[in-house]
mmCIF file with all atom_site columns, all heavy atoms in Angstrom:
data_model
loop_
_atom_site.group_PDB
_atom_site.id
_atom_site.type_symbol
_atom_site.label_atom_id
_atom_site.label_alt_id
_atom_site.label_comp_id
_atom_site.label_asym_id
_atom_site.label_entity_id
_atom_site.label_seq_id
_atom_site.pdbx_PDB_ins_code
_atom_site.Cartn_x
_atom_site.Cartn_y
_atom_site.Cartn_z
_atom_site.occupancy
_atom_site.B_iso_or_equiv
_atom_site.pdbx_formal_charge
_atom_site.auth_seq_id
_atom_site.auth_comp_id
_atom_site.auth_asym_id
_atom_site.auth_atom_id
_atom_site.pdbx_PDB_model_num
ATOM 1   N N   . ARG F 1 106 ? 41.566 90.592  -126.443 1.00 89.00 ? 106 ARG F N   1
ATOM 2   C CA  . ARG F 1 106 ? 42.879 90.291  -125.863 1.00 89.00 ? 106 ARG F CA  1
ATOM 3   C C   . ARG F 1 106 ? 43.496 91.572  -125.306 1.00 89.00 ? 106 ARG F C   1
ATOM 4   O O   . ARG F 1 106 ? 43.686 92.540  -126.043 1.00 89.00 ? 106 ARG F O   1
ATOM 5   C CB  . ARG F 1 106 ? 43.783 89.688  -126.928 1.00 89.00 ? 106 ARG F CB  1
ATOM 6   C CG  . ARG F 1 106 ? 45.127 89.203  -126.412 1.00 89.00 ? 106 ARG F CG  1
ATOM 7   C CD  . ARG F 1 106 ? 45.991 88.650  -127.535 1.00 89.00 ? 106 ARG F CD  1
ATOM 8   N NE  . ARG F 1 106 ? 45.466 87.425  -128.129 1.00 89.00 ? 106 ARG F NE  1
ATOM 9   C CZ  . ARG F 1 106 ? 46.055 86.790  -129.143 1.00 89.00 ? 106 ARG F CZ  1
ATOM 10  N NH1 . ARG F 1 106 ? 47.166 87.286  -129.678 1.00 89.00 ? 106 ARG F NH1 1
ATOM 11  N NH2 . ARG F 1 106 ? 45.524 85.686  -129.629 1.00 89.00 ? 106 ARG F NH2 1
ATOM 12  N N   . ASP F 1 107 ? 43.833 91.584  -124.000 1.00 86.00 ? 107 ASP F N   1
ATOM 13  C CA  . ASP F 1 107 ? 44.470 92.756  -123.397 1.00 86.00 ? 107 ASP F CA  1
ATOM 14  C C   . ASP F 1 107 ? 45.888 92.939  -123.923 1.00 86.00 ? 107 ASP F C   1
ATOM 15  O O   . ASP F 1 107 ? 46.273 94.020  -124.381 1.00 86.00 ? 107 ASP F O   1
ATOM 16  C CB  . ASP F 1 107 ? 44.550 92.613  -121.872 1.00 86.00 ? 107 ASP F CB  1
ATOM 17  C CG  . ASP F 1 107 ? 43.193 92.492  -121.220 1.00 86.00 ? 107 ASP F CG  1
ATOM 18  O OD1 . ASP F 1 107 ? 42.176 92.789  -121.882 1.00 86.00 ? 107 ASP F OD1 1
ATOM 19  O OD2 . ASP F 1 107 ? 43.152 92.087  -120.044 1.00 86.00 ? 107 ASP F OD2 1
ATOM 20  N N   . ARG F 1 108 ? 46.665 91.842  -123.833 1.00 86.00 ? 108 ARG F N   1
ATOM 21  C CA  . ARG F 1 108 ? 48.068 91.870  -124.239 1.00 86.00 ? 108 ARG F CA  1
ATOM 22  C C   . ARG F 1 108 ? 48.192 91.275  -125.643 1.00 86.00 ? 108 ARG F C   1
ATOM 23  O O   . ARG F 1 108 ? 47.705 90.176  -125.899 1.00 86.00 ? 108 ARG F O   1
ATOM 24  C CB  . ARG F 1 108 ? 48.941 91.101  -123.245 1.00 86.00 ? 108 ARG F CB  1
ATOM 25  C CG  . ARG F 1 108 ? 48.857 91.645  -121.818 1.00 86.00 ? 108 ARG F CG  1
ATOM 26  C CD  . ARG F 1 108 ? 49.790 90.907  -120.880 1.00 86.00 ? 108 ARG F CD  1
ATOM 27  N NE  . ARG F 1 108 ? 51.187 91.159  -121.200 1.00 86.00 ? 108 ARG F NE  1
ATOM 28  C CZ  . ARG F 1 108 ? 51.872 92.210  -120.763 1.00 86.00 ? 108 ARG F CZ  1
ATOM 29  N NH1 . ARG F 1 108 ? 51.289 93.101  -119.979 1.00 86.00 ? 108 ARG F NH1 1
ATOM 30  N NH2 . ARG F 1 108 ? 53.132 92.375  -121.091 1.00 86.00 ? 108 ARG F NH2 1
ATOM 31  N N   . LEU F 1 109 ? 48.887 91.990  -126.506 1.00 86.00 ? 109 LEU F N   1
ATOM 32  C CA  . LEU F 1 109 ? 48.932 91.601  -127.910 1.00 86.00 ? 109 LEU F CA  1
ATOM 33  C C   . LEU F 1 109 ? 49.504 90.206  -128.131 1.00 86.00 ? 109 LEU F C   1
ATOM 34  O O   . LEU F 1 109 ? 49.054 89.486  -129.019 1.00 86.00 ? 109 LEU F O   1
ATOM 35  C CB  . LEU F 1 109 ? 49.744 92.621  -128.693 1.00 86.00 ? 109 LEU F CB  1
ATOM 36  C CG  . LEU F 1 109 ? 49.098 93.997  -128.862 1.00 86.00 ? 109 LEU F CG  1
ATOM 37  C CD1 . LEU F 1 109 ? 50.106 94.999  -129.431 1.00 86.00 ? 109 LEU F CD1 1
ATOM 38  C CD2 . LEU F 1 109 ? 47.876 93.898  -129.764 1.00 86.00 ? 109 LEU F CD2 1
ATOM 39  N N   . ARG F 1 110 ? 50.496 89.819  -127.339 1.00 84.00 ? 110 ARG F N   1
ATOM 40  C CA  . ARG F 1 110 ? 51.159 88.537  -127.567 1.00 84.00 ? 110 ARG F CA  1
ATOM 41  C C   . ARG F 1 110 ? 50.650 87.437  -126.636 1.00 84.00 ? 110 ARG F C   1
ATOM 42  O O   . ARG F 1 110 ? 51.216 86.349  -126.593 1.00 84.00 ? 110 ARG F O   1
ATOM 43  C CB  . ARG F 1 110 ? 52.669 88.704  -127.422 1.00 84.00 ? 110 ARG F CB  1
ATOM 44  C CG  . ARG F 1 110 ? 53.259 89.688  -128.435 1.00 84.00 ? 110 ARG F CG  1
ATOM 45  C CD  . ARG F 1 110 ? 54.767 89.786  -128.329 1.00 84.00 ? 110 ARG F CD  1
ATOM 46  N NE  . ARG F 1 110 ? 55.419 88.534  -128.681 1.00 84.00 ? 110 ARG F NE  1
ATOM 47  C CZ  . ARG F 1 110 ? 56.735 88.336  -128.607 1.00 84.00 ? 110 ARG F CZ  1
ATOM 48  N NH1 . ARG F 1 110 ? 57.526 89.306  -128.180 1.00 84.00 ? 110 ARG F NH1 1
ATOM 49  N NH2 . ARG F 1 110 ? 57.270 87.171  -128.947 1.00 84.00 ? 110 ARG F NH2 1
ATOM 50  N N   . ALA F 1 111 ? 49.583 87.720  -125.915 1.00 86.00 ? 111 ALA F N   1
ATOM 51  C CA  . ALA F 1 111 ? 48.999 86.696  -125.052 1.00 86.00 ? 111 ALA F CA  1
ATOM 52  C C   . ALA F 1 111 ? 48.170 85.732  -125.887 1.00 86.00 ? 111 ALA F C   1
ATOM 53  O O   . ALA F 1 111 ? 47.943 85.940  -127.079 1.00 86.00 ? 111 ALA F O   1
ATOM 54  C CB  . ALA F 1 111 ? 48.138 87.352  -123.981 1.00 86.00 ? 111 ALA F CB  1
ATOM 55  N N   . LYS F 1 112 ? 47.720 84.673  -125.258 1.00 87.00 ? 112 LYS F N   1
ATOM 56  C CA  . LYS F 1 112 ? 46.815 83.739  -125.917 1.00 87.00 ? 112 LYS F CA  1
ATOM 57  C C   . LYS F 1 112 ? 45.377 84.136  -125.590 1.00 87.00 ? 112 LYS F C   1
ATOM 58  O O   . LYS F 1 112 ? 45.114 85.001  -124.774 1.00 87.00 ? 112 LYS F O   1
ATOM 59  C CB  . LYS F 1 112 ? 47.109 82.309  -125.449 1.00 87.00 ? 112 LYS F CB  1
ATOM 60  C CG  . LYS F 1 112 ? 48.493 81.816  -125.849 1.00 87.00 ? 112 LYS F CG  1
ATOM 61  C CD  . LYS F 1 112 ? 48.711 80.387  -125.413 1.00 87.00 ? 112 LYS F CD  1
ATOM 62  C CE  . LYS F 1 112 ? 50.093 79.889  -125.843 1.00 87.00 ? 112 LYS F CE  1
ATOM 63  N NZ  . LYS F 1 112 ? 50.329 78.484  -125.419 1.00 87.00 ? 112 LYS F NZ  1
ATOM 64  N N   . GLY F 1 113 ? 44.454 83.482  -126.239 1.00 88.00 ? 113 GLY F N   1
ATOM 65  C CA  . GLY F 1 113 ? 43.051 83.767  -125.997 1.00 88.00 ? 113 GLY F CA  1
ATOM 66  C C   . GLY F 1 113 ? 42.520 84.811  -126.955 1.00 88.00 ? 113 GLY F C   1
ATOM 67  O O   . GLY F 1 113 ? 43.219 85.306  -127.842 1.00 88.00 ? 113 GLY F O   1
ATOM 68  N N   . GLY F 1 114 ? 41.264 85.162  -126.775 1.00 92.00 ? 114 GLY F N   1
ATOM 69  C CA  . GLY F 1 114 ? 40.640 86.112  -127.664 1.00 92.00 ? 114 GLY F CA  1
ATOM 70  C C   . GLY F 1 114 ? 40.362 85.501  -129.028 1.00 92.00 ? 114 GLY F C   1
ATOM 71  O O   . GLY F 1 114 ? 40.263 84.279  -129.178 1.00 92.00 ? 114 GLY F O   1
ATOM 72  N N   . HIS F 1 115 ? 40.267 86.358  -130.030 1.00 96.00 ? 115 HIS F N   1
ATOM 73  C CA  . HIS F 1 115 ? 39.934 85.932  -131.388 1.00 96.00 ? 115 HIS F CA  1
ATOM 74  C C   . HIS F 1 115 ? 40.927 86.572  -132.364 1.00 96.00 ? 115 HIS F C   1
ATOM 75  O O   . HIS F 1 115 ? 41.143 87.781  -132.320 1.00 96.00 ? 115 HIS F O   1
ATOM 76  C CB  . HIS F 1 115 ? 38.524 86.374  -131.772 1.00 96.00 ? 115 HIS F CB  1
ATOM 77  C CG  . HIS F 1 115 ? 37.456 85.886  -130.839 1.00 96.00 ? 115 HIS F CG  1
ATOM 78  N ND1 . HIS F 1 115 ? 36.714 84.753  -131.093 1.00 96.00 ? 115 HIS F ND1 1
ATOM 79  C CD2 . HIS F 1 115 ? 37.005 86.379  -129.658 1.00 96.00 ? 115 HIS F CD2 1
ATOM 80  C CE1 . HIS F 1 115 ? 35.852 84.569  -130.104 1.00 96.00 ? 115 HIS F CE1 1
ATOM 81  N NE2 . HIS F 1 115 ? 36.003 85.547  -129.224 1.00 96.00 ? 115 HIS F NE2 1
ATOM 82  N N   . VAL F 1 116 ? 41.505 85.753  -133.219 1.00 97.00 ? 116 VAL F N   1
ATOM 83  C CA  . VAL F 1 116 ? 42.339 86.244  -134.313 1.00 97.00 ? 116 VAL F CA  1
ATOM 84  C C   . VAL F 1 116 ? 41.614 85.865  -135.600 1.00 97.00 ? 116 VAL F C   1
ATOM 85  O O   . VAL F 1 116 ? 41.451 84.674  -135.904 1.00 97.00 ? 116 VAL F O   1
ATOM 86  C CB  . VAL F 1 116 ? 43.749 85.631  -134.277 1.00 97.00 ? 116 VAL F CB  1
ATOM 87  C CG1 . VAL F 1 116 ? 44.584 86.173  -135.443 1.00 97.00 ? 116 VAL F CG1 1
ATOM 88  C CG2 . VAL F 1 116 ? 44.436 85.941  -132.946 1.00 97.00 ? 116 VAL F CG2 1
ATOM 89  N N   . VAL F 1 117 ? 41.152 86.870  -136.334 1.00 98.00 ? 117 VAL F N   1
ATOM 90  C CA  . VAL F 1 117 ? 40.278 86.629  -137.478 1.00 98.00 ? 117 VAL F CA  1
ATOM 91  C C   . VAL F 1 117 ? 40.843 87.309  -138.724 1.00 98.00 ? 117 VAL F C   1
ATOM 92  O O   . VAL F 1 117 ? 41.229 88.476  -138.683 1.00 98.00 ? 117 VAL F O   1
ATOM 93  C CB  . VAL F 1 117 ? 38.855 87.163  -137.213 1.00 98.00 ? 117 VAL F CB  1
ATOM 94  C CG1 . VAL F 1 117 ? 37.919 86.805  -138.365 1.00 98.00 ? 117 VAL F CG1 1
ATOM 95  C CG2 . VAL F 1 117 ? 38.309 86.613  -135.897 1.00 98.00 ? 117 VAL F CG2 1
ATOM 96  N N   . SER F 1 118 ? 40.884 86.581  -139.820 1.00 98.00 ? 118 SER F N   1
ATOM 97  C CA  . SER F 1 118 ? 41.380 87.133  -141.085 1.00 98.00 ? 118 SER F CA  1
ATOM 98  C C   . SER F 1 118 ? 40.388 88.145  -141.655 1.00 98.00 ? 118 SER F C   1
ATOM 99  O O   . SER F 1 118 ? 39.169 88.032  -141.464 1.00 98.00 ? 118 SER F O   1
ATOM 100 C CB  . SER F 1 118 ? 41.600 86.012  -142.102 1.00 98.00 ? 118 SER F CB  1
ATOM 101 O OG  . SER F 1 118 ? 42.609 85.128  -141.665 1.00 98.00 ? 118 SER F OG  1
ATOM 102 N N   . VAL F 1 119 ? 40.956 89.125  -142.377 1.00 98.00 ? 119 VAL F N   1
ATOM 103 C CA  . VAL F 1 119 ? 40.140 90.125  -143.058 1.00 98.00 ? 119 VAL F CA  1
ATOM 104 C C   . VAL F 1 119 ? 39.828 89.618  -144.464 1.00 98.00 ? 119 VAL F C   1
ATOM 105 O O   . VAL F 1 119 ? 40.740 89.314  -145.235 1.00 98.00 ? 119 VAL F O   1
ATOM 106 C CB  . VAL F 1 119 ? 40.877 91.478  -143.116 1.00 98.00 ? 119 VAL F CB  1
ATOM 107 C CG1 . VAL F 1 119 ? 40.094 92.487  -143.954 1.00 98.00 ? 119 VAL F CG1 1
ATOM 108 C CG2 . VAL F 1 119 ? 41.109 92.012  -141.699 1.00 98.00 ? 119 VAL F CG2 1
ATOM 109 N N   . ARG F 1 120 ? 38.550 89.535  -144.800 1.00 97.00 ? 120 ARG F N   1
ATOM 110 C CA  . ARG F 1 120 ? 38.143 89.051  -146.114 1.00 97.00 ? 120 ARG F CA  1
ATOM 111 C C   . ARG F 1 120 ? 38.255 90.144  -147.170 1.00 97.00 ? 120 ARG F C   1
ATOM 112 O O   . ARG F 1 120 ? 38.715 89.899  -148.288 1.00 97.00 ? 120 ARG F O   1
ATOM 113 C CB  . ARG F 1 120 ? 36.714 88.540  -146.060 1.00 97.00 ? 120 ARG F CB  1
ATOM 114 C CG  . ARG F 1 120 ? 36.166 88.101  -147.426 1.00 97.00 ? 120 ARG F CG  1
ATOM 115 C CD  . ARG F 1 120 ? 34.699 87.729  -147.343 1.00 97.00 ? 120 ARG F CD  1
ATOM 116 N NE  . ARG F 1 120 ? 34.503 86.578  -146.454 1.00 97.00 ? 120 ARG F NE  1
ATOM 117 C CZ  . ARG F 1 120 ? 33.308 86.164  -146.050 1.00 97.00 ? 120 ARG F CZ  1
ATOM 118 N NH1 . ARG F 1 120 ? 32.216 86.821  -146.428 1.00 97.00 ? 120 ARG F NH1 1
ATOM 119 N NH2 . ARG F 1 120 ? 33.211 85.107  -145.269 1.00 97.00 ? 120 ARG F NH2 1
ATOM 120 N N   . SER F 1 121 ? 37.823 91.351  -146.819 1.00 96.00 ? 121 SER F N   1
ATOM 121 C CA  . SER F 1 121 ? 37.845 92.443  -147.800 1.00 96.00 ? 121 SER F CA  1
ATOM 122 C C   . SER F 1 121 ? 37.924 93.786  -147.085 1.00 96.00 ? 121 SER F C   1
ATOM 123 O O   . SER F 1 121 ? 37.625 93.887  -145.885 1.00 96.00 ? 121 SER F O   1
ATOM 124 C CB  . SER F 1 121 ? 36.605 92.402  -148.700 1.00 96.00 ? 121 SER F CB  1
ATOM 125 O OG  . SER F 1 121 ? 35.429 92.614  -147.941 1.00 96.00 ? 121 SER F OG  1
ATOM 126 N N   . VAL F 1 122 ? 38.339 94.800  -147.834 1.00 96.00 ? 122 VAL F N   1
ATOM 127 C CA  . VAL F 1 122 ? 38.495 96.155  -147.312 1.00 96.00 ? 122 VAL F CA  1
ATOM 128 C C   . VAL F 1 122 ? 37.747 97.118  -148.219 1.00 96.00 ? 122 VAL F C   1
ATOM 129 O O   . VAL F 1 122 ? 37.908 97.092  -149.441 1.00 96.00 ? 122 VAL F O   1
ATOM 130 C CB  . VAL F 1 122 ? 39.989 96.564  -147.256 1.00 96.00 ? 122 VAL F CB  1
ATOM 131 C CG1 . VAL F 1 122 ? 40.127 98.022  -146.813 1.00 96.00 ? 122 VAL F CG1 1
ATOM 132 C CG2 . VAL F 1 122 ? 40.762 95.637  -146.324 1.00 96.00 ? 122 VAL F CG2 1
ATOM 133 N N   . GLN F 1 123 ? 36.933 97.968  -147.613 1.00 94.00 ? 123 GLN F N   1
ATOM 134 C CA  . GLN F 1 123 ? 36.222 99.008  -148.362 1.00 94.00 ? 123 GLN F CA  1
ATOM 135 C C   . GLN F 1 123 ? 36.597 100.361 -147.772 1.00 94.00 ? 123 GLN F C   1
ATOM 136 O O   . GLN F 1 123 ? 36.269 100.658 -146.625 1.00 94.00 ? 123 GLN F O   1
ATOM 137 C CB  . GLN F 1 123 ? 34.709 98.807  -148.289 1.00 94.00 ? 123 GLN F CB  1
ATOM 138 C CG  . GLN F 1 123 ? 33.911 99.868  -149.023 1.00 94.00 ? 123 GLN F CG  1
ATOM 139 C CD  . GLN F 1 123 ? 32.410 99.635  -148.921 1.00 94.00 ? 123 GLN F CD  1
ATOM 140 O OE1 . GLN F 1 123 ? 31.968 98.548  -148.561 1.00 94.00 ? 123 GLN F OE1 1
ATOM 141 N NE2 . GLN F 1 123 ? 31.636 100.656 -149.236 1.00 94.00 ? 123 GLN F NE2 1
ATOM 142 N N   . VAL F 1 124 ? 37.266 101.181 -148.564 1.00 94.00 ? 124 VAL F N   1
ATOM 143 C CA  . VAL F 1 124 ? 37.657 102.518 -148.129 1.00 94.00 ? 124 VAL F CA  1
ATOM 144 C C   . VAL F 1 124 ? 36.542 103.496 -148.489 1.00 94.00 ? 124 VAL F C   1
ATOM 145 O O   . VAL F 1 124 ? 35.942 103.403 -149.566 1.00 94.00 ? 124 VAL F O   1
ATOM 146 C CB  . VAL F 1 124 ? 38.983 102.936 -148.795 1.00 94.00 ? 124 VAL F CB  1
ATOM 147 C CG1 . VAL F 1 124 ? 39.313 104.401 -148.501 1.00 94.00 ? 124 VAL F CG1 1
ATOM 148 C CG2 . VAL F 1 124 ? 40.117 102.030 -148.315 1.00 94.00 ? 124 VAL F CG2 1
ATOM 149 N N   . ASP F 1 125 ? 36.249 104.419 -147.585 1.00 93.00 ? 125 ASP F N   1
ATOM 150 C CA  . ASP F 1 125 ? 35.225 105.441 -147.857 1.00 93.00 ? 125 ASP F CA  1
ATOM 151 C C   . ASP F 1 125 ? 35.558 106.126 -149.182 1.00 93.00 ? 125 ASP F C   1
ATOM 152 O O   . ASP F 1 125 ? 36.677 106.618 -149.364 1.00 93.00 ? 125 ASP F O   1
ATOM 153 C CB  . ASP F 1 125 ? 35.219 106.468 -146.726 1.00 93.00 ? 125 ASP F CB  1
ATOM 154 C CG  . ASP F 1 125 ? 34.042 107.424 -146.786 1.00 93.00 ? 125 ASP F CG  1
ATOM 155 O OD1 . ASP F 1 125 ? 33.628 107.792 -147.904 1.00 93.00 ? 125 ASP F OD1 1
ATOM 156 O OD2 . ASP F 1 125 ? 33.548 107.821 -145.718 1.00 93.00 ? 125 ASP F OD2 1
#
Side-chain angles (χ1 to χ4, degrees):
R106 186 182 293 179
D107 299 345
R108 301 183 67 85
L109 290 170
R110 299 183 65 183
K112 296 182 179 180
H115 303 263
V116 180
V117 185
S118 296
V119 174
R120 176 186 297 170
S121 64
V122 176
Q123 179 180 344
V124 172
D125 190 324

